[in-house]
Amino acid sequence: MEKKIIINVGRQLGSGGHDIGRMLASEFDAQFYDREILNLAAKESGFSKEIFERNDERKGFLRSFLHLPIRNSAVGENFYQNNFSQEGLFKFQSDAIRKEAEKGSCVFVGRCADYVLRDFPNTVNIFITASMQFRIDNMANKLGVSPEEARKLIEQGEKHRAEYYNYYTGKKWGASQSYDLCIDASILGLVETEKFIAEFVRKKLEMTS
């Protein structure tokens, strides 16, 4: 596909959204961004990567920010004049997303990219769900934890993720009206789900071209 495309992937924790996003990037010859956006935002802002990692898709982290390093002395000397707030960090991250999207085709996973890039042409917004058992098994295998611990991590992680998304977008995380397609990856499996999404992307862009 020759024209530039942007695919934004929202996902439930443990649903395989990261892996599906990477497969989509490979299929459409697009750049892939998940946690990579945190590195770009850190470079743009001058703040340390650890600050963005603490803030990643969650609110309320600032209570412990004093334990984190500031990367350079210029930022340290002007700490409170350099947009060090959650809103400021969100802006740096959003600017990094927009900058990469302007360069060429991209697949973004999470980080409110569907909202940040809402005015960009040729965008497709996907939300990937899966059954709780599928997600528990996935998380338990990936992290080497018990099913009980995996469920706890999913529930806590999704609470933070939803609060973050809802706060910055004014929308509801996971609500179907926010996306072009919502799909349950536990029905077809990750590979077939990616193929289904890829075909949907092609058809949607054909209709809007």
Side-chain angles (χ1 to χ4, degrees), residues 81-101:
Q81 285 75 45
N82 277 277
N83 295 318
F84 190 82
S85 66
Q86 287 204 276
E87 286 69 23
L89 296 180
F90 180 77
K91 183 181 184 303
F92 283 126
Q93 185 170 283
S94 298
D95 288 345
I97 290 171
R98 282 189 286 266
K99 185 175 181 179
E100 296 308 303

Side-chain angles (χ1 to χ4, degrees), residues 41-76:
K43 291 177 182 178
E44 288 288 323
S45 67
F47 294 129
S48 68
K49 176 186 173 184
E50 287 79 6
I51 289 174
F52 286 92
E53 289 176 339
R54 288 285 187 94
N55 187 54
D56 190 27
E57 295 190 294
R58 60 185 294 143
K59 293 184 77 276
F61 90 108
L62 283 177
R63 288 186 295 272
S64 60
F65 79 89
L66 288 174
H67 298 292
L68 300 175
I70 304 302
R71 197 176 62 193
N72 58 56
S73 59
V75 174

Side-chain angles (χ1 to χ4, degrees), residues 111-131:
R111 280 104 202 155
C112 303
D114 60 306
Y115 176 77
V116 173
L117 301 176
R118 61 194 181 279
D119 296 325
F120 273 60
N122 300 328
T123 61
V124 184
N125 299 321
I126 309 295
F127 191 82
I128 298 172
T129 68
S131 69

Side-chain angles (χ1 to χ4, degrees), residues 182-194:
C182 297
I183 187 167
D184 185 334
S186 58
I187 296 175
L188 299 178
L190 301 190
V191 173
E192 292 301 319
T193 297
E194 187 276 334

Side-chain angles (χ1 to χ4, degrees), residues 11-20 22 32 34 109 134-147 150 153-154 161 190:
R11 74 286 185 224
Q12 286 187 309
L13 200 57
S15 66
H18 173 92
D19 295 330
I20 291 172
R22 191 174 287 283
F32 176 77
D34 190 340
V109 177
F134 179 95
R135 295 188 287 140
I136 288 173
D137 292 344
N138 193 13
M139 290 287 287
N141 290 334
K142 184 174 291 187
L143 300 179
V145 298
S146 68
L153 290 171
I154 288 170
R161 189 172 286 178
L190 301 190

